[in-house]
Amino acid sequence: MTSFSLGDTDFLRDGQPHQVISGAIHYFRVHPDQWQDRIHKARLMGLNTIETYVAWNAHEPRRGEWDASGWNDLGRFLDLVHAEGLDAIVRPGPYICAEWHNGGLPVWLTGSMDDLRSSAPDFLIEVSAYLRRVYDIVAPRQIDRGGPVVLVQIENEYGAYGSDRAYLEALVAVTRDAGITVPLTTVDQPVDQMLADGSLPELHKTGSFGSRSAERLATLRAHQPTGPLMCSEFWDGWFDWWGGVHHTTDVAAAAADLDTLLAAGASVNIYMFHGGTNFALTNGANDKGRYLPLVTSYDYDAPLDEAGNPTEKFYAFREVIAKYAPVPDELPRSASVAPAFEAALSPAGTWTDAVGSGVVTAQPQTFDALGHLSGLVRYDVDLPDGNGGILAIDDVRDLAWISVDDVAVGTLARTRHDRAIRIPDGRRLSILVEDQGRVNYDHRLGEEKGLIGAVTLDGTPVTGWHSTPLDVAAIAAEIDAKADTAVDAGRSDAAGDGPLAWTAEFTLDAPADLFLDTAQWSKGYAFVNGFFLGRYWRNGPQGTLYVPAPVTRPGGNRLVVLELEQILEPLARFVEAPALGVTEE
């Protein structure tokens, strides 16, 4: 069997110096039928290793309901990496950040305890059980057992969060006890305190950065005086948030920094090689004083774009890598133009007006208290004496549509720091609240969603709430099933306001990647053949949704759109290329 270890200055593969040239692909952001294609293209760029996080909340969204099949089949993903002749790096967290909702931590976990990412006994019990399940998959696939896994990471940028050495020691213990024998690493930004706090003497420190490579390697070397230097997150792009711009990085500058790293003999993991997509409701959010939910696309301006096509950066990186390692002669096929066509949207009725919960509580129940993992909760309450006034809410998480007697009044948005709105007289107040994505960084991990704290009307507490969870995927599936027979002909106006469902039928000659143009829609969710593409929002920058070829089929296909505000034109347009938004000048 092949050995892999840490030498005085290099990684050693069977005792010989080895430079890791890796790229990140998150299996949970890519359709499983497309894993092999993306991995193969990584080898064609010259990579010798694939790195992936493991998203705990993808595998165990509800306590005890562990799933390692289909989209979560980490074992199959690692086997495909091995079949391509590549090594693998596994980063199981438990915290992963990754612009993934809740930083990869399950909501059931973060809602049940305060001492996250610490040596608190209740946290360690859950984390240890999770890691053992992951290592049941990883351990038999280590390189010294004939598999591809050469490195396993402990935690993730922990120095930016805490300094609990007992916590890191516990993670190392459960990792070794589970049979992980390959070298263990940590990663932190090249800041003295972060590097000092985020690791242990027995762990190999690596850095995360995307520029000024020589300077940052020097900082890393001061904290890791022996062994190989490694940038295990070389940021070659960036992520986008709703209401912002589409972020890109200069290709020549990124290639030059990669060249500096490799010329120094450092190993590297390119973050990302292929970003993929935050399908369904899996996007995270940032909040450093202003809440910014992240978009559905995780294109990241990576060497492979969201649809898996090589970009200019792919070829620039390939040229750099060829100076330091063998690169296959084979080139990936050029991207084909996606089919462009239109399909009429037909109204399928209202979809947020499910029968309200029969349970009445003094305060609105949070998503977390309801055990609700989908995107919406509707809160209904009778107004005292039928009087309006100033409706004030301590905290809205994250976007609320306010109506009185089914007449829209306005919205309250966390991003705008909204807390109050004047409502008219009426009998029934309804507030539809959307969880726009859970913060994936720092100490806002695990915060509750919904209407938080006191709700008052002209200073008087409003009580007697019905809190009704709305499962958008289940609603879409019901509409899909009824699409042939249950179109609501009574709501056929093209510019109807308020939450309406729409469907469209379209035909394909063969399965194909598609780009769904959402520019003439307002805000909502889209599904193709029952597959949850994700969120759209006219707020931008993203203006198309990626439809992976494996979810389409020859012949008839169906689109379901759950619109929250207004469809400006009852038409579904599929376009030739993605529209991810304007970039900075």
Side-chain angles (χ1 to χ4, degrees):
M1 295 296 178
T2 303
S3 65
F4 193 90
S5 60
L6 302 173
D8 291 338
T9 57
D10 300 281
F11 289 111
L12 300 178
R13 188 183 182 92
D14 281 340
Q16 299 300 310
H18 177 76
Q19 191 171 29
V20 174
I21 306 176
S22 175
I25 304 173
H26 298 157
Y27 60 96
F28 44 88
R29 279 183 160 127
V30 181
H31 194 288
D33 291 352
Q34 297 174 322
W35 289 348
Q36 195 277 331
D37 171 77
R38 283 27 171 188
I39 293 166
H40 178 65
K41 288 171 180 173
R43 185 175 66 81
L44 298 188
M45 197 177 81
L47 301 184
N48 57 31
T49 307
I50 297 295
E51 176 272 319
T52 187
Y53 279 129
V54 180
W56 185 354
N57 56 10
H59 287 273
E60 194 178 12
R62 297 189 183 278
R63 186 194 297 266
E65 297 181 10
W66 178 260
D67 176 35
S69 63
W71 282 75
N72 296 320
D73 195 344
L74 172 62
R76 175 175 173 265
F77 180 79
L78 294 175
D79 291 344
L80 288 172
V81 171
H82 190 44
E84 194 65 39
L86 304 178
D87 293 336
I89 299 170
V90 178
R91 301 202 289 166
Y95 165 76
I96 64 171
C97 187
E99 294 74 59
W100 185 258
H101 66 124
N102 219 30
L105 297 174
V107 173
W108 60 259
L109 175 83
T110 57
S112 64
M113 58 189 67
D114 296 324
D115 297 322
L116 302 175
R117 303 176 72 190
S118 77
S119 57
D122 54 349
F123 185 68
L124 286 181
I125 288 170
E126 300 293 354
V127 168
S128 298
Y130 156 70
L131 287 176
R132 281 191 288 268
R133 291 188 185 100
V134 174
Y135 294 146
D136 283 346
I137 299 168
V138 174
R141 292 176 170 87
Q142 294 177 98
I143 191 168
D144 55 2
R145 301 192 197 180
V149 178
V150 295
L151 296 172
V152 169
Q153 183 178 289
I154 299 296
E155 245 283 350
N156 188 56
E157 293 189 325
Y158 185 64
Y161 182 88
S163 57
D164 187 343
R165 296 173 69 85
Y167 169 53
L168 296 178
E169 289 167 352
L171 296 185
V172 172
V174 72
T175 299
R176 290 305 191 198
D177 289 347
I180 300 301
T181 55
V182 297
L184 304 181
T185 66
T186 56
V187 63
D188 283 287
Q189 296 177 44
V191 176
D192 289 332
Q193 182 174 353
M194 293 183 186
L195 285 165
D197 290 347
S199 193
L200 297 170
E202 63 266 35
L203 299 174
H204 192 74
K205 299 179 180 71
T206 71
S208 54
F209 52 87
S211 60
R212 293 155 48 198
S213 294
E215 171 191 338
R216 278 141 179 186
L217 287 176
T219 301
L220 178 60
R221 180 55 86 195
H223 290 264
Q224 184 61 60
T226 64
L229 288 169
M230 182 171 185
C231 176
S232 57
E233 284 188 26
F234 176 67
W235 302 325
D236 60 351
W238 207 241
F239 53 88
D240 298 341
W241 50 87
W242 294 113
V245 299
H246 174 49
H247 294 83
T248 60
T249 57
D250 182 78
V251 173
D257 269 300
L258 178 62
D259 199 351
T260 299
L261 276 171
L262 296 179
S267 289
V268 65
N269 175 53
I270 296 166
Y271 188 100
M272 300 290 297
F273 168 70
H274 171 54
T277 308
N278 297 316
F279 291 116
L281 304 172
T282 57
N283 64 282
N286 277 359
D287 192 333
K288 298 180 180 180
R290 185 170 186 238
Y291 173 77
L292 298 171
L294 306 181
V295 303
T296 299
S297 172
Y298 199 64
D299 178 87
Y300 210 82
D301 194 35
L304 286 192
D305 67 14
E306 185 178 11
N309 298 311
T311 66
E312 182 184 355
K313 197 171 285 181
F314 177 98
Y315 296 103
F317 281 12
R318 186 176 186 274
E319 185 175 338
V320 169
I321 292 168
K323 296 165 61 175
Y324 304 97
V327 173
D329 292 334
E330 180 187 352
L331 289 172
R333 289 179 296 178
S334 299
S336 57
V337 175
F341 58 92
E342 296 179 348
L345 284 171
S346 300
T350 56
W351 62 276
T352 61
D353 51 358
V355 175
S357 167
V359 177
V360 179
T361 57
Q363 302 295 327
Q365 291 186 279
T366 64
F367 285 57
D368 308 70
L370 293 165
H372 186 51
L373 300 181
S374 192
L376 296 167
V377 171
R378 194 186 74 238
Y379 298 99
D380 302 305
V381 67
D382 292 328
L383 289 172
D385 303 320
N387 294 327
I390 300 299
L391 178 70
I393 303 169
D394 280 354
D395 202 357
V396 175
R397 297 182 189 162
D398 301 304
L399 180 58
W401 290 263
I402 318 295
S403 62
V404 174
D405 294 340
D406 297 326
V407 177
V409 175
T411 60
L412 295 175
R414 178 180 180 182
T415 296
R416 299 193 302 255
H417 302 288
D418 292 337
R419 296 288 188 276
I421 189 171
R422 181 180 293 279
I423 63 172
D425 295 347
R427 296 170 57 85
R428 187 76 162 172
L429 168 66
S430 292
I431 306 177
L432 182 65
V433 176
E434 182 186 29
D435 168 2
Q436 293 187 284
R438 291 184 180 258
V439 174
N440 54 262
Y441 186 77
D442 206 15
H443 292 274
R444 288 188 177 272
L445 289 172
E447 63 183 5
E448 292 184 306
K449 292 289 188 170
L451 300 180
I452 310 299
V455 181
T456 61
L457 187 62
D458 284 344
T460 300
V462 179
T463 60
W465 292 87
H466 298 261
S467 304
T468 305
L470 300 174
D471 185 331
V472 295
I475 292 169
E478 183 178 349
I479 291 168
D480 196 0
K482 295 179 179 178
D484 292 327
T485 59
V487 173
D488 184 357
R491 297 299 302 265
S492 60
D493 54 307
D497 291 338
L500 284 177
W502 302 78
T503 64
E505 310 289 331
F506 61 93
T507 301
L508 295 173
D509 294 332
D513 283 342
L514 303 173
F515 300 101
L516 175 61
D517 183 356
T518 62
Q520 295 302 306
W521 308 345
S522 294
K523 192 179 198 309
Y525 317 96
F527 303 76
V528 167
N529 295 330
F531 178 79
F532 197 167
L533 300 178
R535 310 175 196 256
Y536 65 86
W537 195 3
R538 203 166 62 223
N539 199 23
Q542 183 176 354
T544 54
L545 288 175
Y546 171 56
V547 184
V551 310
T552 67
R553 57 196 176 218
N557 295 261
R558 177 172 292 140
L559 168 70
V560 174
V561 178
L562 301 182
E563 171 62 50
L564 284 159
E565 295 178 349
Q566 185 183 78
I567 293 283
L568 301 182
E569 185 178 10
L571 199 64
R573 288 190 177 88
F574 293 87
V575 295
E576 294 181 346
L580 298 181
V582 298
T583 58
E584 292 181 310
E585 294 293 333

